[in-house]
Amino acid sequence: MKKSLLILFTLFMVACGSEKGSKISKKSHLPVARGSANVILAVMDTNQWNGPIGDALKDIFAESVPGLPQDEPYFKIRNINPLKMNNILKSGKSMIFVSTLNNRGRQSTAMRKYFTPSSLEKIKNDTSLYKLTQKDMFARGQEIVHLFGQTEAQLIHHLKVNKSLLRNYFLQIENKRLSKSLFKVREKQIEKNLEEQRGFTFNIPYGYDLAKSEKNFVWLRQLDPEYEKDVFVYFKPFDSQEPFEDVMAYREEITAKY
């Protein structure tokens, strides 16, 4: 069975190979996706955005990140009226297209143009379908998730059940984008010293200095005219769950000491 699967996979790759050049050529003519980090454009009927579906989306993407000293959402999510879509909005880095088949308003009708007749038929016949991902639809480097359902209640159910999956999908995308720009150049000598002297390492962006290095504590900082950026690592043998029971209090204890 494993050999058969391998052969089928190889045939699939060969069959797709002839189209690869044309796909690359097509993408090269697209504009580069743009927009701020951690921003998602929600293209959907404004009435649905202001109703239960919008609330479910905000619960997924605009929920506050735990563990921070101030409230900060995972994402800033902004509603876009589908009737007002233009080339600038279409070039957004992260977008979700949200629609339900039972909504017959002008905006919802406009949303259905993003589906083929066969796709709409599948959605009508299969209540388990709710999501489709797409890359580079209007711009290079763009990530789009289509969220849909036969009814609002059905879609809301899928959104609540798959809350973590949907959020993590965009979190992973943002992490990859950030890493690509942040780690173009790294402080590899500091990384090497940490590994040799402290037994651990992580990727350190260019411009960070080792401000303090003690037996159980390492402090890295980057000074720039506008902001000071700091990373500290405190470590000791694991002997109880206590520090993890109140991470904020434990952090205050360490920062007060140093």
Side-chain angles (χ1 to χ4, degrees):
M1 178 59 73
K2 289 183 179 178
K3 290 182 178 179
S4 300
L5 287 173
L6 179 61
I7 292 169
L8 286 171
F9 179 71
T10 305
L11 289 172
F12 176 77
M13 293 296 289
V14 171
C16 291
S18 61
E19 299 178 8
K20 187 176 180 181
S22 61
K23 287 182 179 179
I24 292 174
S25 177
K26 183 180 178 182
K27 284 185 180 182
S28 66
H29 291 86
L30 292 173
V32 176
R34 53 187 173 179
S36 303
N38 297 94
V39 171
I40 297 176
L41 302 182
V43 184
M44 61 185 292
D45 189 308
T46 53
N47 291 320
Q48 291 186 319
W49 169 256
N50 293 319
I53 292 182
D55 292 340
L57 291 171
K58 292 165 195 170
D59 183 54
I60 295 171
F61 298 111
E63 188 174 61
S64 294
V65 180
L68 297 181
Q70 68 284 325
D71 286 341
E72 186 174 330
Y74 282 100
F75 297 93
K76 294 177 182 177
I77 184 166
R78 175 188 171 195
N79 176 225
I80 302 297
N81 182 331
L83 299 177
K84 296 182 180 180
M85 280 281 281
N86 55 40
N87 289 335
I88 295 176
L89 294 173
K90 284 182 178 179
S91 65
K93 284 185 177 180
S94 297
M95 306 179 76
I96 55 177
F97 287 72
V98 187
S99 60
T100 57
L101 300 187
N102 68 329
N103 195 323
R104 297 297 175 182
R106 286 181 62 222
Q107 294 182 48
S108 292
T109 301
M111 290 301 302
R112 282 191 279 280
K113 71 180 181 182
Y114 296 107
F115 296 95
T116 63
S118 61
S119 296
L120 289 171
E121 195 62 31
K122 287 180 181 177
I123 296 171
K124 289 177 183 178
N125 296 324
D126 190 345
T127 58
S128 67
L129 296 177
Y130 79 98
K131 176 176 70 75
L132 173 70
T133 60
Q134 192 171 18
K135 297 179 183 290
D136 304 335
M137 183 175 178
F138 303 111
R140 282 176 286 143
Q142 184 178 64
E143 298 281 349
I144 291 177
V145 173
H146 296 269
L147 299 170
F148 45 82
Q150 297 172 359
T151 65
E152 289 196 10
Q154 184 190 100
L155 177 55
I156 291 169
H157 168 76
H158 284 302
L159 294 177
K160 290 182 177 180
V161 170
N162 297 283
K163 176 179 178 178
S164 296
L165 184 149
L166 292 168
R167 180 195 290 160
N168 288 337
Y169 179 82
F170 280 107
L171 284 175
Q172 289 175 14
I173 288 168
E174 288 295 336
N175 286 339
K176 287 178 182 177
R177 287 172 177 164
L178 180 61
S179 295
K180 188 176 180 179
S181 62
L182 197 61
F183 300 118
K184 282 182 179 179
V185 183
R186 288 160 42 195
E187 295 289 354
K188 293 189 177 181
Q189 188 57 51
I190 299 178
E191 293 175 10
K192 182 180 179 182
N193 291 343
L194 287 178
E195 185 171 20
E196 292 175 350
Q197 299 171 16
R198 298 289 178 253
F200 73 89
T201 188
F202 55 91
N203 293 345
I204 302 172
Y206 176 77
Y208 276 80
D209 294 315
L210 188 58
K212 187 180 286 288
S213 179
E214 298 185 355
K215 183 180 178 181
N216 295 326
F217 180 79
V218 170
W219 172 22
L220 299 157
R221 70 178 173 185
Q222 183 187 69
L223 300 174
D224 87 24
E226 192 171 358
Y227 299 106
E228 176 177 336
K229 302 171 186 176
D230 300 273
V231 177
F232 71 81
V233 183
Y234 182 81
F235 45 97
K236 68 177 184 177
F238 181 88
D239 53 16
S240 76
Q241 191 69 24
E242 184 179 349
F244 302 99
E245 291 172 359
D246 191 344
V247 174
M248 298 290 281
Y250 191 59
R251 187 190 64 178
E252 292 304 310
E253 178 186 333
I254 302 305
T255 52
K257 180 178 179 181
Y258 290 97

